Amino acid sequence: MTAPAADRARYDRATAHLDAPVAIVDLDAFDANADDLVRRAAGKPVRVASKSVRCRALLERVLARDGFQGIMSFTLAESLWLARSGFDDVLLAYPSADRSGFAELAADPKLAGAVTVMIDDIAHLDLIDAARDGGSEVVRVCLELDTSLKLLGGRVRVGARRSPLHSPAQLAELARAVARRPGFRLVGIMAYEGHIAGVGDDVAGRPLRSRAVRLMQATARRELAERRGAVVRAVRAVVPDLEFVNGGGTGSVQHTAAEDSVTEIAAGSGLYVPRLFDNYTSFTGRPAALFAQPVVRRPGVGVVTVLGGGYPASGAAGPDRLPVPYLPEGLRYDPQEGPGEVQTPLLGSPADDLLLGDKVWFRHAKAGELCERFDVLHLIEGDAVTATAPTYRGEGQTFL
């Protein structure tokens, strides 16, 4: 029996008492992936990206392990909820315009001490001050560095369009503005190199593209390491007691950790290992988060239909944003239909061995977005469900 076939047998046994649709996390794989992130971080703490987990119980589980420290959140409302839930080190990774959230933050010493907000413009400080509504707590802020690689005098850009702050001088200027502003304290710098950490460099069947990605990433790593070091020196000249410099992502952990200027690494997807993280030469993880859909029809030879399953991931639309049929191996979508909202035909010889009610296991394209579809995650150890944990959705929290 192959390893995937053995996993399918385990998952089927563990969830035999559960009707699909159902979502699981294999804790053995989850813990092994956590160990791999710590190994690659080489002694620097890993800050967990909550958008890739979206389950408080699993955030608590990973933060209880050596090598992990703090959460990187995705909205201010989520940050405040996590802080009220007992997480005491929450870095909001994106700027916010949540005025009521800022009023709450500025009025509560516990929240203000636990949450750090992201800025890349003086206008963010203006918005926060206008939202204070009498709250006088000092707001912890972090500056975001634009990590994109600019070539040909800026005419070619590689990387996500995030912060407008690209040069050491720009970050130092904003750092001085924060230092002069009452009610704020600059505590960190964040730089997420998504074009390195979030783009696979070993795509099956596309050797030329993979080679081009590797060359781009090698160039980008060298450029960013030099520029990030200069940025940190420039900002520390203004704020010597800077608490942290955050960088990286699941696909670049060991490379970012090697930079002296970086004090902590961000990662989250590497815990679940969704399908977008299959195409990397830098690491190999174990799929830990899956969902199952039940067979509800057998339209003909070599075809079964499962209920639902059309759960596309965010980003530029394309086949790589779709879930992938995973177990049993050998199933594929009907190209005329793809994964549907209420039914999904699947083609392939394994279909002939599936009966009505059998489970087909899928992997989502991205990590935490799966949790927006399910109220609970069934946690599996060996071939048994040992616990059930609510997702954010299951706790009534939908932040985006």
Side-chain angles (χ1 to χ4, degrees), residues 24-145:
I24 66 166
V25 171
D26 183 337
L27 290 180
D28 295 333
F30 181 90
D31 290 344
N33 293 334
D35 287 342
D36 184 64
L37 289 172
V38 170
R39 176 189 62 80
R40 291 196 287 137
K44 293 186 177 178
V46 178
R47 184 180 292 273
V48 183
S50 63
K51 79 179 183 69
S52 300
V53 179
R54 302 194 203 199
C55 172
R56 278 200 301 166
L58 290 176
L59 289 173
E60 291 168 352
R61 182 184 183 92
V62 73
L63 286 170
R65 303 175 70 88
D66 290 341
F68 289 87
Q69 179 180 306
I71 289 176
M72 177 177 282
S73 58
F74 58 94
T75 72
L76 181 56
E78 179 212 14
S79 305
L80 300 178
W81 177 66
L82 290 172
R84 288 193 298 267
S85 301
F87 297 97
D88 61 4
D89 181 4
V90 182
L91 169 63
L92 174 56
Y94 305 87
S96 176
D98 181 352
R99 291 176 173 83
S100 62
F102 283 127
E104 185 177 355
L105 178 69
D108 189 317
K110 177 184 176 182
L111 297 180
V115 175
T116 301
V117 303
M118 192 65 59
I119 69 166
D120 59 34
D121 194 309
I122 292 177
H124 290 134
L125 303 180
D126 295 338
L127 188 150
I128 295 169
D129 270 340
R132 284 180 181 271
D133 193 27
S136 59
E137 295 298 324
V138 173
V139 175
R140 294 166 52 88
V141 299
C142 176
L143 307 183
E144 180 171 4
L145 166 67

Side-chain angles (χ1 to χ4, degrees), residues 30 212 276 290 348 364:
F30 181 90
L276 282 178
L290 301 94
H364 203 269

Side-chain angles (χ1 to χ4, degrees), residues 14 91 215 218-219 253 340 383:
L91 169 63
L215 289 172
T219 301
V253 171
D383 60 358

